Amino acid sequence: MNKTYAFSDLHGNLDLWKHIQGFLDDSDMAFCLGDCCDRGLYGIKIMQDILNDSRITYLQGNHERMFLNGIAANSSNNAFGAYNYLLWMHNGGSPTADLFYNLPDEEQVKLYDEIYKLKYSCVYINKNNKIVFLSHAGCQPSQAHLDPATETKYDYLWNRNHIDLAWDKSPEFDDLIIVHGHTPVQYIMQDEKYEEILKYCNNHKIDIDIGAYVSNVTVLLDLDTFEPIYFNTKGRIK
């Protein structure tokens, strides 16, 4: 099919991941915007699968960062380390930790190192010459640094403040589209039954976090047409 997609925030839902994995053609590409682990039971399996799938560019999310900090904290004896571990557990890290520590030592080291090396953002120029900026949390257009060396790492993992801000109408951003996850669409819409992507800021921003851990729904977003393909645990739904 030679398509390019984005997906995000699977949170250990193996059924959703398997449907995405099976849907992608050998000639397709996809960007994973992070938060594959925690909350659900199979985050380790999903992270390993995605890292081994040459079709997918894996970006770090805040849960991958908590995974890294939590693992490092578990081997430290200082108060800051204890805080990081507790933060991870408080945000659903327990099933991920259980599976991680059951891996052989060499697999633990390999997975930790590979997650540590993940980038925080990526740029895709689509077939209509739109600049698609991808990161886990999203940002304002002025913060969408197209040079990865200048990326603001904390904001790309955690920031939600930009969601309430208007789009900068400067002509330099006319062809820029920001695609992100991190904030479930249900939270923004204040509707727990909302299970679709959210296009906002005059369609310049697209939130693709469908709250998979609760909704059991996820999406592949076509980055050339910006059309969504939805899946639940039984397969494609629309």
Side-chain angles (χ1 to χ4, degrees):
M1 292 189 289
N2 196 25
K3 301 277 191 175
T4 302
Y5 299 99
F7 65 96
S8 191
D9 295 89
L10 292 174
H11 283 296
N13 192 316
L14 188 61
D15 288 336
L16 295 180
W17 159 239
K18 288 299 184 184
H19 291 310
I20 287 174
Q21 186 182 38
F23 179 85
L24 294 173
D25 188 88
D26 288 345
S27 63
D28 291 337
M29 294 175 55
F31 295 91
C32 172
L33 307 190
D35 280 14
C36 292
C37 61
D38 300 342
R39 307 198 191 284
L41 297 177
Y42 300 102
I44 294 294
K45 167 65 173 171
I46 295 171
M47 289 195 295
Q48 290 177 320
D49 279 359
I50 290 177
L51 287 165
N52 290 322
D53 194 323
S54 61
R55 300 170 297 180
I56 299 176
T57 298
Y58 190 177
L59 301 180
Q60 191 174 139
N62 66 303
H63 279 264
E64 279 81 9
R65 174 50 53 182
M66 283 191 286
F67 163 80
L68 294 171
N69 290 346
I71 296 300
N74 200 36
S75 60
S76 72
N77 295 314
N78 59 59
F80 185 69
Y83 168 80
N84 278 332
Y85 189 78
L86 289 173
L87 178 67
W88 185 32
M89 294 300 103
H90 180 72
N91 284 277
S94 181
T96 306
D98 289 345
L99 288 174
F100 178 80
Y101 289 116
N102 277 320
L103 294 174
D105 289 349
E106 62 274 16
E107 288 189 35
Q108 291 183 25
V109 172
K110 182 175 184 290
L111 180 58
Y112 183 94
D113 287 347
E114 289 180 334
I115 295 297
Y116 183 83
K117 293 174 184 176
L118 295 180
K119 294 182 178 180
Y120 297 83
S121 66
C122 199
V123 175
Y124 170 67
I125 309 299
N126 79 7
K127 294 175 181 176
N128 298 307
N129 289 317
K130 296 292 185 182
I131 302 168
V132 184
F133 180 83
L134 303 122
S135 69
H136 178 65
C139 61
Q140 281 296 88
S142 60
Q143 296 171 315
H145 298 298
L146 306 188
D147 177 3
T150 63
E151 63 185 8
T152 51
K153 297 177 181 179
Y154 178 86
D155 284 346
Y156 290 168
L157 296 180
W158 292 94
N159 183 29
R160 290 191 169 107
N161 295 334
H162 72 91
I163 291 171
D164 296 320
L165 301 178
W167 185 259
D168 187 332
K169 295 183 180 179
S170 170
E172 69 179 296
F173 302 129
D174 284 351
D175 290 324
L176 178 64
I177 309 293
I178 294 175
V179 177
H180 68 88
H182 184 52
T183 303
V185 292
Q186 294 88 350
Y187 175 84
I188 300 175
M189 299 300 292
Q190 298 184 351
D191 180 357
E192 63 182 15
K193 295 182 180 179
Y194 190 91
E195 295 178 352
E196 299 181 2
I197 62 170
L198 179 63
K199 297 180 179 180
Y200 63 111
C201 284
N202 296 321
N203 294 329
H204 280 284
K205 292 184 182 180
I206 308 176
D207 184 357
I208 61 171
D209 180 355
I210 314 295
Y213 175 63
V214 175
S215 67
N216 286 312
V217 176
T218 194
V219 64
L220 271 174
L221 180 71
D222 187 317
L223 294 181
D224 294 305
T225 66
F226 301 111
E227 293 299 317
I229 300 169
Y230 295 99
F231 302 87
N232 62 20
T233 55
K234 295 182 180 179
R236 183 175 178 179
I237 52 179
K238 53 182 172 177

